[in-house]
Amino acid sequence: MARKFFKSSETSIMINRYSWRELIGIYCGIAVFLFFMLAPFIEGFLVSLKPLAQLFSSPYSFWPENGSFEAYRTMWISVPSFGRYIFNSLLISVVSTIIVLILVVPAAYAFARFRFKGMALVLGAFLAVSMFSGAVLLIPLFRLMRTLGLLNTYYAMIVPGAAFLIPSAIWLLRTYMMRIPPELNEAAYMDGASQFYTFRRVILPIARPGIIVVAIMTFIGAYAQQFIFALTFNSKTEYMPLPVGLFAYFGKQEVIWNELMAASFVGIAPAMVIIFFLQRYLVGGLTAGAIKE
Amino acid sequence: MGQLSLKNVVKTFGDFEVVKGVSLDVHEGEFVVFVGPSGCGKSTLLRMVAGLEHTTSGDIVIDGKRVNDLAPVKRGIAMVFQSYALYPHMSVYENIAFPLRVEGAPAKEIRKKVEEAAAILHLENRLDQRPGNLSGGQRQRVAIGRAIVRQPEIFLFDEPLSNLDAALRADMRIELTRLHKQLGATMVYVTHDQVEAMTMADRIVVLNGGYIAQVGAPLTLYHKPENTFVAGFIGNPRMNFMPVNVLSVSDDGITVDFQGQSLTIDVDVPADRRAALVGSQVSLGVRPEHISLGAGDATMALTPTVVEHLGQLTIGYATLPGHEENFCFVLTGTQMIEDDRAVNVSFGAGDCHVFDADGQAFERKIDMSAMTPPVSL
Ligand SMILES: Nc1ncnc2c1ncn2[C@@H]1O[C@H](COP(=O)(O)OP(=O)(O)OP(=O)(O)O)[C@@H](O)[C@H]1O
Ligand SMILES: [Mg+2]
């Protein structure tokens, strides 16, 4: 995973060597790509530094004059419950991720290791389900939630969110687990280990990088999709997640753009910290030395 | 303890019969080697003994107890896999300790046993490393260490050395033989390598297409193969087979007509079969290493198409008229012969084997104890 493509040292193998022309081309490509990805963020950040008046001045100045972090202070005053929205978002995403992991890890293992009737069918169904976004099924889901009495609770946002993330998570983790050599299961069986012991002591540790990838994907997925469910299944302000909370900056007369941008960055920060923390555990090559390939 | 019997063991995968009725007794403390061509069911047989595959029919009996439905640990068996199958996330210590941890042994006992095993396998300095940082030979030793800590009565090895290079394989071979002596446990060993089979085995089991072709001590298999399959399989290069006509049969053996020379081979022929045999065609087998230059009991003129000079040996291949397989001969030392140049070679009647039309051998009347210095195992 930590493969270096641009090793200039002499130890780099032939296939990783590029001429200076190719290097320039590659970096230009990366720069263009990055620019498209990052431009909105850069502009957003610059906006958050400007006083509100400057945003509507013409001609529009891209760089902030006498910019300050004032918006990062006033945002908490304009929308006092913003902290609550961040907490809600994190809570919904974290709980969804935990639920997904608890269900998906054993399921992926079963799909990777065992053969059973109807397996292809179930896997195909998962794939089909993950092609729908939750949005398509909002109305039936709404009726379901109402019947179950889950409207206007945290569950209304957690349960459908987790449900829609499970299929793709199973596919992802199953692929990873299929790469764990089955000989390890046989060896553990020969050593007297039960299926569950083998799963806990052998498979889980080896699958850890895969599980973390799934955790990150699920967390991001839950973070991104929660606002659909929040808007539809929840009308209580105190349960609203961050994306909905950001609407609070849309005032009656005007939108407080600089505070909105500041709030967006502040709101993302905790999620970034969590993802950064998780990906430190992404170490490759965990199966090295298990079997002779 | 450690006595293993297979009774008419059969294994089918779907409609495909892989092991077709194998019966075998392995004595306590014996080193038995399974050999046979690829796909003949060696691994399948071993995995059935291990408990990794169900037995379609027949019994597997260990120390007088039928174990068909027992888990591997309950059978008192440990297995070493060809691919090592080490736990990559655990240190060498934890890998070896794994079976004891499963048992829930106390930490002190685990430490003692793991250190014992590590000492036997010269792994004392590697205990903290991960398998990924070890060489092939060391990994294989860790795999063996994991097998010996539980002190099983029977060890199963499925081609444990085939992933190692030639030099390491020779070392590990010696080490395994030493280990066998030291532990005194029963060992069943699958290999492709004839040298491993010949040097390590107390008895070799030759498998062919799901059947046992012959069971016997390595030298018995070499000197008294019971059929053409074993005769061709044991020994390298393969034995040469030539069709010959029987002139007469007596107590002295079979007299055949070999390219106009009459040759009497000292084999045992049951009295009731003698009459039918006269005039029929049999197969004359002679090993390449028993052929020498110049004249002898049976002399033949050959034109080798390829000659290989190895210094220590000179190997020649010739085509015989009406014969598909190459006729091969191995001469000791460096012999000045060239390809496409005719030479006279010969072999002694005492080195010949005779097989009937079904490929079954007539037993040679040779005294094995009076032969070349006995090999001590
Ligand atoms: N799980 C299985 N399902 C179906 N057929 C199988 C299975 N396992 C083995 N076979 C078949 O059984 C036959 C014997 O396999 P086995 O692995 O025992 O051969 P082997 O003697 O060990 O060969 P090699 O020397 O190449 O290891 C092969 O033809 C193989 O295709
Ligand atoms: Mg095999």
Side-chain angles (χ1 to χ4, degrees), chain B residues 328-347:
Chain B
C328 175
F329 57 93
V330 177
L331 308 169
T332 49
T334 308
Q335 305 289 343
M336 284 308 145
I337 59 170
E338 288 168 38
D339 45 356
D340 300 327
R341 190 82 84 64
V343 287
N344 276 334
V345 296
S346 64
F347 51 88

Side-chain angles (χ1 to χ4, degrees), chain B residues 13 16 18 36-45 53 82 158-159 190 192:
Chain B
F13 289 111
F16 183 48
V18 176
S38 197
C40 69
K42 306 181 293 289
S43 298
T44 309
L45 194 56
E53 299 274 5
Q82 175 177 5
D158 193 352
E159 305 194 33
V190 169
H192 265 124

Side-chain angles (χ1 to χ4, degrees), chain A:
Chain A
M1 245 150 266
R3 169 161 292 154
K4 290 192 197 111
F5 277 104
F6 305 111
K7 278 189 289 187
S8 54
S9 64
E10 273 137 49
T11 55
S12 80
I13 47 173
M14 293 301 284
I15 201 164
N16 286 353
R17 276 192 200 152
Y18 297 95
S19 72
W20 63 270
R21 270 174 229 270
E22 287 168 325
L23 276 181
I24 288 176
I26 288 169
Y27 279 113
C28 284
I30 292 174
V32 168
F33 184 68
L34 277 183
F35 180 76
F36 272 99
M37 295 263 297
L38 295 181
F41 292 90
I42 296 168
E43 166 125 49
F45 181 66
L46 293 177
V47 165
S48 76
L49 298 181
K50 295 174 194 174
L52 195 57
Q54 207 185 91
L55 290 172
F56 302 102
S57 67
S58 104
Y60 180 74
S61 72
F62 188 68
W63 299 107
E65 290 156 32
N66 55 53
S68 73
F69 285 94
E70 182 63 11
Y72 287 85
R73 192 181 62 79
T74 52
M75 57 171 269
W76 301 100
I77 300 165
S78 316
V79 182
S81 51
F82 189 69
R84 178 72 194 242
Y85 299 146
I86 296 179
F87 170 79
N88 286 344
S89 254
L90 282 182
L91 180 78
I92 293 168
S93 297
V94 167
V95 173
S96 301
T97 306
I98 290 172
I99 292 175
V100 168
L101 285 185
I102 288 175
L103 295 175
V104 157
V105 173
Y109 178 64
F111 281 118
R113 267 297 178 275
F114 306 123
R115 301 267 155 270
F116 45 88
K117 272 211 182 88
M119 185 167 106
L121 199 74
V122 177
L123 281 172
F126 281 155
L127 203 59
V129 167
S130 59
M131 285 173 191
F132 288 96
S133 87
V136 185
L137 301 171
L138 274 184
I139 292 169
L141 273 174
F142 183 87
R143 298 176 58 142
L144 186 68
M145 293 287 158
R146 195 178 52 192
T147 317
L148 295 175
L150 293 180
L151 289 179
N152 302 324
T153 63
Y154 279 125
Y155 297 112
M157 292 169 276
I158 292 172
V159 174
F164 279 102
L165 290 166
I166 284 175
S168 55
I170 286 184
W171 268 90
L172 197 66
L173 196 55
R174 170 177 180 259
T175 316
Y176 192 91
M177 284 185 165
M178 288 200 317
R179 293 208 338 244
I180 300 175
E183 281 98 331
L184 294 184
N185 287 70
E186 292 183 345
Y189 180 58
M190 289 300 302
D191 289 341
S194 63
Q195 275 289 355
F196 187 68
Y197 190 97
T198 311
F199 178 65
R200 201 159 50 95
R201 287 295 166 85
V202 179
I203 302 299
L204 274 190
I206 299 176
R208 197 177 67 183
I211 294 172
I212 288 170
V213 168
V214 168
I216 292 176
M217 299 280 292
T218 308
F219 183 80
I220 294 174
Y223 216 83
Q225 64 168 221
Q226 54 186 251
F227 84 98
I228 304 180
F229 302 120
L231 282 176
T232 329
F233 306 143
N234 179 35
S235 51
K236 286 204 177 158
T237 325
E238 63 264 40
Y239 294 154
M240 282 301 182
L242 179 69
V244 181
L246 287 175
F247 273 103
Y249 291 94
F250 287 68
K252 293 253 159 46
Q253 280 97 36
E254 60 176 357
V255 180
I256 319 170
W257 284 108
N258 55 353
E259 287 181 15
L260 178 65
M261 288 303 147
S264 304
F265 283 105
V266 171
I268 296 171
M272 296 278 280
V273 170
I274 289 182
I275 290 169
F276 183 74
F277 175 77
L278 280 179
Q279 65 115 38
R280 290 174 51 118
Y281 288 93
L282 274 184
V283 274
L286 258 190
T287 51
I291 59 161
K292 177 92 178 190
E293 274 100 16

